[in-house]
């Protein structure tokens, strides 16, 4: 199966008429790698038979983390939409690897935007080359959507900060080498780099999940976790603003990831509809099945256009927060509809095949993670009301 399709090429050409050949080459090379090394093993990542660690490392080292960052840190300096498109392709190959890589890259983006020169020189090259893995630690057991009420604290003690508290549902926990941790200081939430191992940091058991089973999720517990004062990212008290900005970009990418999951569920359902027979004909000849195919295809294309559109506003330096949230709300909810219809087209085989209901189980996370649909609808309405005189 070719993950990078002529449709993808066409869209890159529409959004990047001057350099589409160059960008398509990068995407095509990444997708060839995914087709060989990741897609064939995705059901084994889901069942736990295979760990994503090895293939993820190989993928990170294949350039998946370099796309939107400048060459001085080892990046490729390509537009954000090319990166988002790469995550879509990875979402098709395996959603849990895509989630793990997306979080890793969100940390690189935060460090690139808010870190000082020394921090960027020290950490970015290894993150971009895939030598080290990153994790984003904001959510706590008692504060998710309302992250501003975090209880984790960071206290300055001479040349160090001491971090104490607990972070919940953290992707890549226990595997990552570098954690971007949000903790309260007297000036408000602040952001720190914590390198692992650190004797003040330990990890809870892996959480049992409905989907995204290849990626690891657990609690991270900080107990007098000491980091050098130089590991404060940006300014004390600005952590909440940094988290919000990082998450705006990440939401575009999560939308792309869900388009990728939907594309695979759709492709499989389409193939099955052509081959499955009932009442003496292929089920693809029934109008009610055709209506499903038409709606699934239309919605996937709409989701793809929304994340490309939000990316293009980000690339031009505009305020893309509403468009990023629109893309995420639409694509994540669309993905559930598409994956559900794919199960319906497969009938009893859809309900009983791990291969197929995995798509719905994976997609189910993302109307929750990185901003719930409810909270993002509030954000969209707030921005749109403020934009309207
Ligand atoms: C598998 C997985 C991986 C994750 N990875 C990470 C990670 O790497 N890093 C990280 O920091 N976090 C991570 N998270 C946490 C995720 O971002 C949070 O679960 C999410 O932000 C929601 O927070 P919550 O679960 O505390 O729900 P809550 O905030 O408690 O929300 C519960 C419900 O109330 C609704 N609600 C809340 N406020 C409002 C409101 N004002 N109006 C209307 N409805 C409202 C929500 O929409 C939701 O339906 C992950 C979560 C999971 C499950």
């Amino acid at each position: 199966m070719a993950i990078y399709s002529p449709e993808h090429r066409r869209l890159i050409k529409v959004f990047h008429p001057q350099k589409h050949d160059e960008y398509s080459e990068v995407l095509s090379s990444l997708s060839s790698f995914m087709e060989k090394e990741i897609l064939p093993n995705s059901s084994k990542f889901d069942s736990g038979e295979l760990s994503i660690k090895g293939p993820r490392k190989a993928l990170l080292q294949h350039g998946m983390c370099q796309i939107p960052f400048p060459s001085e840190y080892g990046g490729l300096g390509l537009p954000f939409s090319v990166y988002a498109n790469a995550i879509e392709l990875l979402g098709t190959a395996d959603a849990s690897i895509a989630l793990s890589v997306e979080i890793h890259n969100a940390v690189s983006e935060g460090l690139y935007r808010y870190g000082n020169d020394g921090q960027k020189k020290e950490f970015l090259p290894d993150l971009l080359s895939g030598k080290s893995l990153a994790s984003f630690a904001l959510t706590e057991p008692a504060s998710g959507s309302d992250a501003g009420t975090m209880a984790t604290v960071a206290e300055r003690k001479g040349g160090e900060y001491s971090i104490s508290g607990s972070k919940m549902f953290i992707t890549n926990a226990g595997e990552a080498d570098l954690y971007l941790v949000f903790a309260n200081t007297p000036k408000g939430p602040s952001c720190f780099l914590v390198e692992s191992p650190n004797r003040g940091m330990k990890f809870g058991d892996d959480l049992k999940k409905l989907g995204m089973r290849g990626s690891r999720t657990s609690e991270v517990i900080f107990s007098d976790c000491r980091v050098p004062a130089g590991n404060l990212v940006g300014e004390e008290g600005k952590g909440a603003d940094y988290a919000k900005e990082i998450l705006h970009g990440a939401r575009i990418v999560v939308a792309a990831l869900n388009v990728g999951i939907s594309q695979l569920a759709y492709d499989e359902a389409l193939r099955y509809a052509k081959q499955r027979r009932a009442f003496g004909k292929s089920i693809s000849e029934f109008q009610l099945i055709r209506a499903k195919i038409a709606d699934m295809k239309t919605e996937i294309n709409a989701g793809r256009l929304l994340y490309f559109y939000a990316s293009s506003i980000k690339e031009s330096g505009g305020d893309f927060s509403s468009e990023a949230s629109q893309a995420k709300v639409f694509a994540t909810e669309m993905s559930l509809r598409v994956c559900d219809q794919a199960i319906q087209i497969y009938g009893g085989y859809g309900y009983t095949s791990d291969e197929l209901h995995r798509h719905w189980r994976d997609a189910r996370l993302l109307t929750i993670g990185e901003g719930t649909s409810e909270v993002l609808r509030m954000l969209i309405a707030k921005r749109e009301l403020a934009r309207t005189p």
Side-chain angles (χ1 to χ4, degrees), residues 79-259:
F80 194 82
S81 52
V82 176
Y83 162 56
N85 201 182
I87 291 285
E88 180 199 320
L89 304 173
L90 187 54
T92 298
D94 184 84
S96 58
I97 296 196
L99 177 72
S100 172
V101 171
E102 175 267 316
I103 296 274
H104 168 91
N105 285 342
V107 172
S108 300
E109 164 126 3
L111 190 53
Y112 175 63
R113 290 184 63 153
Y114 305 113
N116 60 35
D117 276 354
Q119 290 167 339
K120 290 191 221 184
K121 281 189 188 123
E122 184 175 352
F123 296 108
L124 272 179
D126 281 355
L127 293 176
L128 268 49
S129 68
K131 201 169 161 201
S132 64
L133 180 70
S135 182
F136 180 86
L138 174 67
T139 305
E140 300 192 353
S143 69
S145 305
D146 190 11
T149 57
M150 67 181 74
T152 299
V153 289
E155 197 184 334
R156 181 81 189 244
K157 292 189 172 167
E160 292 179 322
Y161 281 94
S162 159
I163 303 175
S164 293
S166 171
K167 296 288 174 181
M168 193 58 179
F169 303 134
I170 304 307
T171 304
N172 296 337
E175 285 183 32
D177 308 285
L178 187 68
Y179 293 74
L180 195 66
V181 179
F182 295 83
N184 257 318
T185 59
K187 290 186 178 169
S190 304
C191 177
F192 299 90
L193 291 163
V194 180
E195 288 179 84
S196 180
N198 181 315
R199 61 193 172 88
M201 174 166 64
K202 61 183 185 166
F203 306 99
D205 292 337
D206 284 356
L207 296 170
K208 283 194 180 143
K209 293 182 297 199
L210 179 67
M212 295 291 191
R213 290 183 176 159
S215 72
R216 210 166 148 188
T217 315
S218 79
E219 189 172 3
V220 185
I221 301 129
F222 299 94
S223 174
D224 189 22
C225 173
R226 298 290 180 119
V227 294
N231 282 22
L232 170 75
V233 176
E235 292 174 42
E236 259 195 36
K238 294 263 175 83
D241 295 340
Y242 303 158
K244 269 187 210 151
E245 290 298 324
I246 294 168
L247 287 170
H248 289 324
R251 283 170 190 144
I252 299 178
V253 185
V254 168
L257 200 169
N258 277 76
V259 171

Side-chain angles (χ1 to χ4, degrees), residues 256-272:
L257 200 169
N258 277 76
V259 171
I261 299 173
S262 313
Q263 183 68 51
L264 183 59
Y266 167 81
D267 287 341
E268 288 173 351
L270 194 67
R271 250 193 317 274
Y272 186 79

